[in-house]
Amino acid sequence: MKKNTLNLIASLALFLLFSNFTSSQDRPNVVIIFADDLGYSSISPFGAPSTALETPALTDMAADGRKFLNAYTPTSMCSPSRYGLMSGRYYWRDVRDWGIIENSDDSTLTPDRHNLASRLQDEGYNTGGFGKWHMGYDGPSNVPFNIRDDVGFDYWHDYRVRPDGTEIIMEDKNDGREASPDRFKTGEYLDDEVAEWLNNQSKDTPFFLYYAPISIHTPIIPGEAYQGASAAGDPYTDYIMELDGSVGKVLKILEDKGLDDNTIVIFTSDNGAVTGHTRHLRDAPINFIANGLYDGDEFQGRFEGSKLQIHEAGFRVPMIIKWPNKIPAGTSSTELVNIIDIYASLMEALNIEMEAPENEAGDSYSFYPAWFNNLQQPIRDNMVVNSFEGIRGIYANGWKYIDGIIREPEPYTFLNNNRRRREAHEQLYDLTGDPFEDDDLVKDRSQSDRVDNMIDLLERVVTQGYSRPAYTFSTKSTEDNTKKMFIYPNPVADFIQVSNLTEKKNVTIYNILGARIKDVNIVNNEKIDVRELTSGLYFLRFNDIKKAMRFLKK
């Protein structure tokens, strides 16, 4: 009797977790804190040395949520990664193959295509953005740009640095108010603006907070309260601790307002650190860290390269997701994910139907199932990255191929002779056995077929116009859009059932790679036997309405 009761409770918990939200008020709030130039192991839960610094807020967040140990950015630099996070698309598809854009350029986000803020705004969310934008404003085209109407932020408070680096300007894009705070109080200023907005939110309307702190990009300007606070006593490590303090302030407000349990909080970075120590290249653009006590490896996870470059340290970033009583606390995942994937994952978490990949978030793979479970099959079958100069790399089945092609018309000064020798040629790495890219196998004759296949795959991803599977993870029935279908239990052991079917349906089960497994006719709440399936992620596709739902086989 006790065992049956526990099974019933467990089944009910899974049902509640994966069932649909009935109104916008039921949907959780979303907070994204997007650090700048933060290396993979620059915070305590990802291995930062305690002899250099402590990050207690992020340590607590990891203890309450899930770490993603294999998280990447789409590029090793700022604005293209920010574009990827907000749009769910590779920057080079829509903007250009190389480099960054400036505030004097046209906005890369435009009203004709959904982005994360506009999508959530349309779904009834209050949307607020603070900090670094770096995706263009009013540019040479002289097309008027309004961050509320064109991008989807109800409120936006921005910062920018004068070209000479001497002054930081804060600007309220809603009323044009400007302020030039003390450079060493910039982080505190932004924290206060975020706190004011967050404290005005309520449980009645869901909200989306996008907070992009200045830290830890140059200039390295930790606030007075953090100067000398780190064990290393270096401005760089002090600045990381100030970033952690900003995270702590946000989490504290959510807790104090009773919003913590109904808020998804995501922390990550736009690219790796600038300070990378490299075994093959010892002239990273900036090489200062902790008064010379550490060589940069300590803050980069010992990966090769640096910000701007094509090797791992430029793309590998920490990622933590917290959703109390939903995501299992104190856990970690090794799933290959990209910050681009946050878009589709949130859409699935919030039960928001996406458009076809050619129209919305075409490179964003939902890793929502990996929030809760360790999957047996990868969600991503490929991933493309690029360096400042436009050199591309593609990942597939644990391997990484680098094409070595410089796409920047006039190579930037960062691409000096050492970097050119290291990056501007074809390379192949088995990251499963060689995560630090020590052994280039591109000239190994036994790998020639693999090289050819990865070149072909890269070409297909680039020319197709999108890369994510052409599934919309909708649970809406075309017969009655107010009626919801859902799979239960999910995850599943032996049988699955589908609720709210109005008539018999022909469905096909596919695996994550799109291979057809079997066809089944189902009726409402009828059990479907899936015992023969191996562990992993599957799609249940309704053939007449061309919609699909996911389920996880344990």
Side-chain angles (χ1 to χ4, degrees), residues 455-494:
I455 292 172
D456 290 344
L457 177 60
L458 178 58
E459 180 65 20
R460 287 201 306 274
V461 171
V462 170
T463 57
Q464 180 171 295
Y466 61 87
S467 60
R468 75 168 165 90
Y471 292 107
T472 56
F473 305 118
S474 169
T475 56
K476 292 182 179 179
S477 168
T478 55
E479 294 89 346
D480 180 359
N481 283 333
T482 65
K483 189 180 291 292
K484 303 290 185 178
M485 300 184 299
F486 59 88
I487 293 175
Y488 69 98
N490 196 349
V492 60
D494 299 325

mmCIF file of all heavy atoms in Angstrom, residues 455-494:
data_model
loop_
_atom_site.group_PDB
_atom_site.id
_atom_site.type_symbol
_atom_site.label_atom_id
_atom_site.label_comp_id
_atom_site.label_asym_id
_atom_site.label_seq_id
_atom_site.Cartn_x
_atom_site.Cartn_y
_atom_site.Cartn_z
ATOM 1 N N ILE A 455 32.982 18.555 -43.359
ATOM 2 C CA ILE A 455 32.937 19.674 -44.308
ATOM 3 C C ILE A 455 31.561 19.730 -44.964
ATOM 4 O O ILE A 455 30.953 20.800 -45.100
ATOM 5 C CB ILE A 455 34.050 19.536 -45.358
ATOM 6 C CG1 ILE A 455 35.427 19.733 -44.714
ATOM 7 C CG2 ILE A 455 33.844 20.539 -46.493
ATOM 8 C CD1 ILE A 455 36.585 19.426 -45.643
ATOM 9 N N ASP A 456 31.052 18.558 -45.376
ATOM 10 C CA ASP A 456 29.723 18.506 -46.000
ATOM 11 C C ASP A 456 28.635 18.944 -45.023
ATOM 12 O O ASP A 456 27.705 19.668 -45.396
ATOM 13 C CB ASP A 456 29.425 17.083 -46.486
ATOM 14 C CG ASP A 456 30.271 16.679 -47.688
ATOM 15 O OD1 ASP A 456 30.857 17.572 -48.329
ATOM 16 O OD2 ASP A 456 30.365 15.463 -47.966
ATOM 17 N N LEU A 457 28.751 18.492 -43.780
ATOM 18 C CA LEU A 457 27.768 18.866 -42.767
ATOM 19 C C LEU A 457 27.780 20.372 -42.526
ATOM 20 O O LEU A 457 26.713 21.013 -42.448
ATOM 21 C CB LEU A 457 28.054 18.117 -41.460
ATOM 22 C CG LEU A 457 27.148 18.452 -40.269
ATOM 23 C CD1 LEU A 457 25.689 18.141 -40.582
ATOM 24 C CD2 LEU A 457 27.607 17.682 -39.019
ATOM 25 N N LEU A 458 28.956 20.950 -42.425
ATOM 26 C CA LEU A 458 29.064 22.390 -42.229
ATOM 27 C C LEU A 458 28.417 23.135 -43.392
ATOM 28 O O LEU A 458 27.669 24.104 -43.190
ATOM 29 C CB LEU A 458 30.534 22.792 -42.090
ATOM 30 C CG LEU A 458 30.833 24.286 -41.929
ATOM 31 C CD1 LEU A 458 30.135 24.867 -40.710
ATOM 32 C CD2 LEU A 458 32.350 24.517 -41.837
ATOM 33 N N GLU A 459 28.666 22.684 -44.586
ATOM 34 C CA GLU A 459 28.082 23.324 -45.769
ATOM 35 C C GLU A 459 26.560 23.236 -45.737
ATOM 36 O O GLU A 459 25.855 24.208 -46.051
ATOM 37 C CB GLU A 459 28.628 22.666 -47.041
ATOM 38 C CG GLU A 459 28.085 23.246 -48.342
ATOM 39 C CD GLU A 459 28.496 24.694 -48.576
ATOM 40 O OE1 GLU A 459 29.477 25.150 -47.956
ATOM 41 O OE2 GLU A 459 27.828 25.373 -49.376
ATOM 42 N N ARG A 460 26.015 22.079 -45.341
ATOM 43 C CA ARG A 460 24.563 21.920 -45.290
ATOM 44 C C ARG A 460 23.944 22.851 -44.249
ATOM 45 O O ARG A 460 22.914 23.482 -44.495
ATOM 46 C CB ARG A 460 24.195 20.468 -44.966
ATOM 47 C CG ARG A 460 24.425 19.502 -46.096
ATOM 48 C CD ARG A 460 23.609 18.228 -45.928
ATOM 49 N NE ARG A 460 23.829 17.576 -44.641
ATOM 50 C CZ ARG A 460 24.803 16.713 -44.392
ATOM 51 N NH1 ARG A 460 25.676 16.416 -45.358
ATOM 52 N NH2 ARG A 460 24.919 16.133 -43.221
ATOM 53 N N VAL A 461 24.570 22.938 -43.083
ATOM 54 C CA VAL A 461 24.040 23.793 -42.022
ATOM 55 C C VAL A 461 24.034 25.253 -42.471
ATOM 56 O O VAL A 461 23.077 25.988 -42.227
ATOM 57 C CB VAL A 461 24.851 23.625 -40.728
ATOM 58 C CG1 VAL A 461 24.441 24.665 -39.695
ATOM 59 C CG2 VAL A 461 24.663 22.231 -40.150
ATOM 60 N N VAL A 462 25.104 25.658 -43.138
ATOM 61 C CA VAL A 462 25.219 27.050 -43.571
ATOM 62 C C VAL A 462 24.209 27.374 -44.664
ATOM 63 O O VAL A 462 23.532 28.414 -44.628
ATOM 64 C CB VAL A 462 26.654 27.350 -44.054
ATOM 65 C CG1 VAL A 462 26.727 28.715 -44.730
ATOM 66 C CG2 VAL A 462 27.627 27.280 -42.888
ATOM 67 N N THR A 463 24.067 26.498 -45.652
ATOM 68 C CA THR A 463 23.229 26.812 -46.810
ATOM 69 C C THR A 463 21.746 26.570 -46.558
ATOM 70 O O THR A 463 20.906 27.183 -47.211
ATOM 71 C CB THR A 463 23.667 25.983 -48.034
ATOM 72 O OG1 THR A 463 23.603 24.582 -47.714
ATOM 73 C CG2 THR A 463 25.077 26.361 -48.440
ATOM 74 N N GLN A 464 21.402 25.713 -45.620
ATOM 75 C CA GLN A 464 19.993 25.384 -45.402
ATOM 76 C C GLN A 464 19.199 26.566 -44.856
ATOM 77 O O GLN A 464 18.010 26.700 -45.124
ATOM 78 C CB GLN A 464 19.868 24.202 -44.435
ATOM 79 C CG GLN A 464 18.433 23.790 -44.145
ATOM 80 C CD GLN A 464 18.355 22.502 -43.370
ATOM 81 O OE1 GLN A 464 18.743 21.452 -43.869
ATOM 82 N NE2 GLN A 464 17.867 22.572 -42.143
ATOM 83 N N GLY A 465 19.854 27.423 -44.087
ATOM 84 C CA GLY A 465 19.151 28.575 -43.538
ATOM 85 C C GLY A 465 18.693 28.400 -42.112
ATOM 86 O O GLY A 465 18.280 29.350 -41.458
ATOM 87 N N TYR A 466 18.746 27.197 -41.617
ATOM 88 C CA TYR A 466 18.453 26.893 -40.222
ATOM 89 C C TYR A 466 19.038 25.525 -39.921
ATOM 90 O O TYR A 466 19.395 24.768 -40.834
ATOM 91 C CB TYR A 466 16.943 26.921 -39.937
ATOM 92 C CG TYR A 466 16.137 25.912 -40.746
ATOM 93 C CD1 TYR A 466 15.953 24.602 -40.297
ATOM 94 C CD2 TYR A 466 15.560 26.278 -41.963
ATOM 95 C CE1 TYR A 466 15.228 23.693 -41.038
ATOM 96 C CE2 TYR A 466 14.842 25.370 -42.715
ATOM 97 C CZ TYR A 466 14.663 24.078 -42.246
ATOM 98 O OH TYR A 466 13.956 23.169 -42.990
ATOM 99 N N SER A 467 19.138 25.178 -38.656
ATOM 100 C CA SER A 467 19.749 23.892 -38.315
ATOM 101 C C SER A 467 18.909 23.039 -37.384
ATOM 102 O O SER A 467 19.116 21.831 -37.308
ATOM 103 C CB SER A 467 21.128 24.113 -37.672
ATOM 104 O OG SER A 467 21.035 24.880 -36.482
ATOM 105 N N ARG A 468 17.975 23.639 -36.643
ATOM 106 C CA ARG A 468 17.200 22.824 -35.707
ATOM 107 C C ARG A 468 16.183 21.986 -36.465
ATOM 108 O O ARG A 468 15.758 22.350 -37.572
ATOM 109 C CB ARG A 468 16.521 23.678 -34.646
ATOM 110 C CG ARG A 468 15.303 24.465 -35.078
ATOM 111 C CD ARG A 468 14.571 25.038 -33.861
ATOM 112 N NE ARG A 468 13.606 26.065 -34.205
ATOM 113 C CZ ARG A 468 12.340 25.838 -34.498
ATOM 114 N NH1 ARG A 468 11.887 24.592 -34.546
ATOM 115 N NH2 ARG A 468 11.521 26.845 -34.777
ATOM 116 N N PRO A 469 15.765 20.853 -35.888
ATOM 117 C CA PRO A 469 14.758 20.019 -36.553
ATOM 118 C C PRO A 469 13.485 20.812 -36.823
ATOM 119 O O PRO A 469 13.105 21.692 -36.041
ATOM 120 C CB PRO A 469 14.510 18.897 -35.545
ATOM 121 C CG PRO A 469 15.739 18.846 -34.712
ATOM 122 C CD PRO A 469 16.223 20.262 -34.629
ATOM 123 N N ALA A 470 12.829 20.485 -37.905
ATOM 124 C CA ALA A 470 11.631 21.224 -38.301
ATOM 125 C C ALA A 470 10.398 20.718 -37.559
ATOM 126 O O ALA A 470 9.346 20.503 -38.141
ATOM 127 C CB ALA A 470 11.433 21.105 -39.806
ATOM 128 N N TYR A 471 10.550 20.492 -36.263
ATOM 129 C CA TYR A 471 9.419 20.126 -35.418
ATOM 130 C C TYR A 471 8.978 21.346 -34.629
ATOM 131 O O TYR A 471 9.805 22.096 -34.127
ATOM 132 C CB TYR A 471 9.802 19.028 -34.418
ATOM 133 C CG TYR A 471 10.096 17.699 -35.029
ATOM 134 C CD1 TYR A 471 11.412 17.227 -35.096
ATOM 135 C CD2 TYR A 471 9.088 16.911 -35.538
ATOM 136 C CE1 TYR A 471 11.694 16.008 -35.652
ATOM 137 C CE2 TYR A 471 9.365 15.675 -36.093
ATOM 138 C CZ TYR A 471 10.667 15.228 -36.156
ATOM 139 O OH TYR A 471 10.944 14.019 -36.711
ATOM 140 N N THR A 472 7.689 21.554 -34.507
ATOM 141 C CA THR A 472 7.191 22.531 -33.553
ATOM 142 C C THR A 472 6.683 21.744 -32.364
ATOM 143 O O THR A 472 5.859 20.847 -32.514
ATOM 144 C CB THR A 472 6.052 23.373 -34.154
ATOM 145 O OG1 THR A 472 5.022 22.503 -34.600
ATOM 146 C CG2 THR A 472 6.554 24.190 -35.319
ATOM 147 N N PHE A 473 7.171 22.051 -31.201
ATOM 148 C CA PHE A 473 6.840 21.256 -30.030
ATOM 149 C C PHE A 473 5.516 21.726 -29.437
ATOM 150 O O PHE A 473 5.400 22.092 -28.281
ATOM 151 C CB PHE A 473 7.965 21.359 -28.997
ATOM 152 C CG PHE A 473 9.282 20.970 -29.565
ATOM 153 C CD1 PHE A 473 10.319 21.872 -29.623
ATOM 154 C CD2 PHE A 473 9.489 19.712 -30.092
ATOM 155 C CE1 PHE A 473 11.539 21.523 -30.167
ATOM 156 C CE2 PHE A 473 10.695 19.350 -30.642
ATOM 157 C CZ PHE A 473 11.731 20.255 -30.680
ATOM 158 N N SER A 474 4.495 21.753 -30.288
ATOM 159 C CA SER A 474 3.201 22.271 -29.874
ATOM 160 C C SER A 474 2.368 21.171 -29.247
ATOM 161 O O SER A 474 2.429 20.006 -29.637
ATOM 162 C CB SER A 474 2.461 22.825 -31.088
ATOM 163 O OG SER A 474 1.122 23.105 -30.781
ATOM 164 N N THR A 475 1.556 21.546 -28.282
ATOM 165 C CA THR A 475 0.569 20.624 -27.749
ATOM 166 C C THR A 475 -0.831 21.144 -28.032
ATOM 167 O O THR A 475 -1.784 20.756 -27.388
ATOM 168 C CB THR A 475 0.758 20.456 -26.232
ATOM 169 O OG1 THR A 475 0.696 21.744 -25.620
ATOM 170 C CG2 THR A 475 2.067 19.802 -25.921
ATOM 171 N N LYS A 476 -0.940 22.072 -29.002
ATOM 172 C CA LYS A 476 -2.253 22.610 -29.342
ATOM 173 C C LYS A 476 -2.916 21.743 -30.405
ATOM 174 O O LYS A 476 -2.295 21.352 -31.386
ATOM 175 C CB LYS A 476 -2.120 24.047 -29.848
ATOM 176 C CG LYS A 476 -1.676 25.029 -28.781
ATOM 177 C CD LYS A 476 -1.611 26.433 -29.340
ATOM 178 C CE LYS A 476 -1.186 27.416 -28.266
ATOM 179 N NZ LYS A 476 -1.084 28.797 -28.791
ATOM 180 N N SER A 477 -4.170 21.460 -30.232
ATOM 181 C CA SER A 477 -4.935 20.707 -31.211
ATOM 182 C C SER A 477 -5.511 21.660 -32.243
ATOM 183 O O SER A 477 -6.038 22.717 -31.901
ATOM 184 C CB SER A 477 -6.075 19.952 -30.518
ATOM 185 O OG SER A 477 -6.974 19.436 -31.477
ATOM 186 N N THR A 478 -5.431 21.298 -33.517
ATOM 187 C CA THR A 478 -5.977 22.180 -34.542
ATOM 188 C C THR A 478 -7.499 22.179 -34.512
ATOM 189 O O THR A 478 -8.123 23.103 -35.005
ATOM 190 C CB THR A 478 -5.499 21.731 -35.933
ATOM 191 O OG1 THR A 478 -5.840 20.366 -36.121
ATOM 192 C CG2 THR A 478 -4.022 21.923 -36.087
ATOM 193 N N GLU A 479 -8.122 21.116 -33.969
ATOM 194 C CA GLU A 479 -9.574 21.078 -33.885
ATOM 195 C C GLU A 479 -10.102 22.091 -32.879
ATOM 196 O O GLU A 479 -11.157 22.678 -33.043
ATOM 197 C CB GLU A 479 -10.072 19.685 -33.474
ATOM 198 C CG GLU A 479 -9.807 18.596 -34.518
ATOM 199 C CD GLU A 479 -8.458 17.940 -34.320
ATOM 200 O OE1 GLU A 479 -7.641 18.499 -33.557
ATOM 201 O OE2 GLU A 479 -8.211 16.888 -34.911
ATOM 202 N N ASP A 480 -9.351 22.318 -31.817
ATOM 203 C CA ASP A 480 -9.802 23.244 -30.775
ATOM 204 C C ASP A 480 -8.567 23.796 -30.081
ATOM 205 O O ASP A 480 -7.943 23.117 -29.285
ATOM 206 C CB ASP A 480 -10.705 22.509 -29.777
ATOM 207 C CG ASP A 480 -11.208 23.434 -28.672
ATOM 208 O OD1 ASP A 480 -10.840 24.629 -28.661
ATOM 209 O OD2 ASP A 480 -11.963 22.951 -27.824
ATOM 210 N N ASN A 481 -8.208 25.016 -30.415
ATOM 211 C CA ASN A 481 -6.967 25.571 -29.902
ATOM 212 C C ASN A 481 -6.990 25.811 -28.406
ATOM 213 O O ASN A 481 -5.967 26.091 -27.798
ATOM 214 C CB ASN A 481 -6.642 26.883 -30.624
ATOM 215 C CG ASN A 481 -6.083 26.629 -32.012
ATOM 216 O OD1 ASN A 481 -5.496 25.575 -32.247
ATOM 217 N ND2 ASN A 481 -6.276 27.564 -32.919
ATOM 218 N N THR A 482 -8.167 25.764 -27.800
ATOM 219 C CA THR A 482 -8.232 25.931 -26.344
ATOM 220 C C THR A 482 -8.028 24.602 -25.641
ATOM 221 O O THR A 482 -7.845 24.565 -24.429
ATOM 222 C CB THR A 482 -9.589 26.517 -25.930
ATOM 223 O OG1 THR A 482 -10.624 25.578 -26.232
ATOM 224 C CG2 THR A 482 -9.848 27.820 -26.647
ATOM 225 N N LYS A 483 -8.099 23.526 -26.382
ATOM 226 C CA LYS A 483 -7.936 22.200 -25.782
ATOM 227 C C LYS A 483 -6.473 21.800 -25.858
ATOM 228 O O LYS A 483 -5.826 21.991 -26.870
ATOM 229 C CB LYS A 483 -8.803 21.183 -26.502
ATOM 230 C CG LYS A 483 -8.861 19.815 -25.795
ATOM 231 C CD LYS A 483 -9.733 18.856 -26.555
ATOM 232 C CE LYS A 483 -11.189 19.244 -26.486
ATOM 233 N NZ LYS A 483 -11.731 19.075 -25.127
ATOM 234 N N LYS A 484 -5.929 21.227 -24.797
ATOM 235 C CA LYS A 484 -4.519 20.874 -24.748
ATOM 236 C C LYS A 484 -4.350 19.358 -24.735
ATOM 237 O O LYS A 484 -5.053 18.651 -24.029
ATOM 238 C CB LYS A 484 -3.862 21.451 -23.494
ATOM 239 C CG LYS A 484 -3.995 22.955 -23.346
ATOM 240 C CD LYS A 484 -3.172 23.691 -24.367
ATOM 241 C CE LYS A 484 -3.211 25.182 -24.131
ATOM 242 N NZ LYS A 484 -2.376 25.911 -25.074
ATOM 243 N N MET A 485 -3.406 18.900 -25.533
ATOM 244 C CA MET A 485 -3.012 17.499 -25.476
ATOM 245 C C MET A 485 -1.690 17.417 -24.750
ATOM 246 O O MET A 485 -0.852 18.300 -24.876
ATOM 247 C CB MET A 485 -2.850 16.936 -26.887
ATOM 248 C CG MET A 485 -4.094 16.990 -27.749
ATOM 249 S SD MET A 485 -3.845 16.208 -29.358
ATOM 250 C CE MET A 485 -2.528 17.206 -30.038
ATOM 251 N N PHE A 486 -1.492 16.358 -23.982
ATOM 252 C CA PHE A 486 -0.177 16.160 -23.396
ATOM 253 C C PHE A 486 0.073 14.679 -23.175
ATOM 254 O O PHE A 486 -0.841 13.864 -23.044
ATOM 255 C CB PHE A 486 0.011 16.952 -22.092
ATOM 256 C CG PHE A 486 -0.968 16.622 -21.001
ATOM 257 C CD1 PHE A 486 -0.709 15.602 -20.100
ATOM 258 C CD2 PHE A 486 -2.130 17.345 -20.859
ATOM 259 C CE1 PHE A 486 -1.596 15.303 -19.086
ATOM 260 C CE2 PHE A 486 -3.027 17.065 -19.838
ATOM 261 C CZ PHE A 486 -2.766 16.037 -18.952
ATOM 262 N N ILE A 487 1.360 14.346 -23.183
ATOM 263 C CA ILE A 487 1.806 12.975 -22.960
ATOM 264 C C ILE A 487 2.028 12.764 -21.471
ATOM 265 O O ILE A 487 2.581 13.624 -20.793
ATOM 266 C CB ILE A 487 3.121 12.709 -23.728
ATOM 267 C CG1 ILE A 487 2.877 12.747 -25.237
ATOM 268 C CG2 ILE A 487 3.731 11.371 -23.336
ATOM 269 C CD1 ILE A 487 4.146 12.609 -26.051
ATOM 270 N N TYR A 488 1.617 11.637 -20.970
ATOM 271 C CA TYR A 488 1.906 11.298 -19.578
ATOM 272 C C TYR A 488 2.091 9.792 -19.455
ATOM 273 O O TYR A 488 1.525 9.038 -20.266
ATOM 274 C CB TYR A 488 0.786 11.807 -18.648
ATOM 275 C CG TYR A 488 -0.541 11.097 -18.793
ATOM 276 C CD1 TYR A 488 -0.909 10.066 -17.916
ATOM 277 C CD2 TYR A 488 -1.427 11.441 -19.813
ATOM 278 C CE1 TYR A 488 -2.120 9.416 -18.045
ATOM 279 C CE2 TYR A 488 -2.637 10.794 -19.943
ATOM 280 C CZ TYR A 488 -2.983 9.783 -19.059
ATOM 281 O OH TYR A 488 -4.182 9.132 -19.192
ATOM 282 N N PRO A 489 2.818 9.251 -18.486
ATOM 283 C CA PRO A 489 3.787 10.029 -17.711
ATOM 284 C C PRO A 489 4.965 10.421 -18.604
ATOM 285 O O PRO A 489 5.163 9.843 -19.651
ATOM 286 C CB PRO A 489 4.230 9.054 -16.622
ATOM 287 C CG PRO A 489 4.093 7.709 -17.254
ATOM 288 C CD PRO A 489 2.879 7.809 -18.146
ATOM 289 N N ASN A 490 5.718 11.396 -18.181
ATOM 290 C CA ASN A 490 6.851 11.876 -18.973
ATOM 291 C C ASN A 490 7.915 12.381 -18.008
ATOM 292 O O ASN A 490 7.702 13.414 -17.377
ATOM 293 C CB ASN A 490 6.400 13.019 -19.886
ATOM 294 C CG ASN A 490 7.393 13.315 -20.990
ATOM 295 O OD1 ASN A 490 8.501 12.810 -20.975
ATOM 296 N ND2 ASN A 490 6.993 14.158 -21.937
ATOM 297 N N PRO A 491 8.995 11.652 -17.765
ATOM 298 C CA PRO A 491 9.552 10.514 -18.485
ATOM 299 C C PRO A 491 8.699 9.243 -18.320
ATOM 300 O O PRO A 491 7.875 9.156 -17.428
ATOM 301 C CB PRO A 491 10.930 10.321 -17.835
ATOM 302 C CG PRO A 491 11.198 11.591 -17.113
ATOM 303 C CD PRO A 491 9.891 12.115 -16.696
ATOM 304 N N VAL A 492 8.944 8.286 -19.220
ATOM 305 C CA VAL A 492 8.131 7.079 -19.275
ATOM 306 C C VAL A 492 9.021 5.853 -19.138
ATOM 307 O O VAL A 492 10.176 5.849 -19.561
ATOM 308 C CB VAL A 492 7.354 7.044 -20.604
ATOM 309 C CG1 VAL A 492 8.302 7.056 -21.790
ATOM 310 C CG2 VAL A 492 6.458 5.829 -20.676
ATOM 311 N N ALA A 493 8.451 4.785 -18.568
ATOM 312 C CA ALA A 493 9.180 3.526 -18.443
ATOM 313 C C ALA A 493 8.673 2.506 -19.461
ATOM 314 O O ALA A 493 9.421 2.020 -20.303
ATOM 315 C CB ALA A 493 9.053 2.977 -17.023
ATOM 316 N N ASP A 494 7.359 2.188 -19.413
ATOM 317 C CA ASP A 494 6.805 1.116 -20.251
ATOM 318 C C ASP A 494 5.736 1.587 -21.232
ATOM 319 O O ASP A 494 5.693 1.151 -22.373
ATOM 320 C CB ASP A 494 6.209 0.018 -19.362
ATOM 321 C CG ASP A 494 7.238 -0.622 -18.449
ATOM 322 O OD1 ASP A 494 8.400 -0.758 -18.881
ATOM 323 O OD2 ASP A 494 6.885 -0.971 -17.313
#
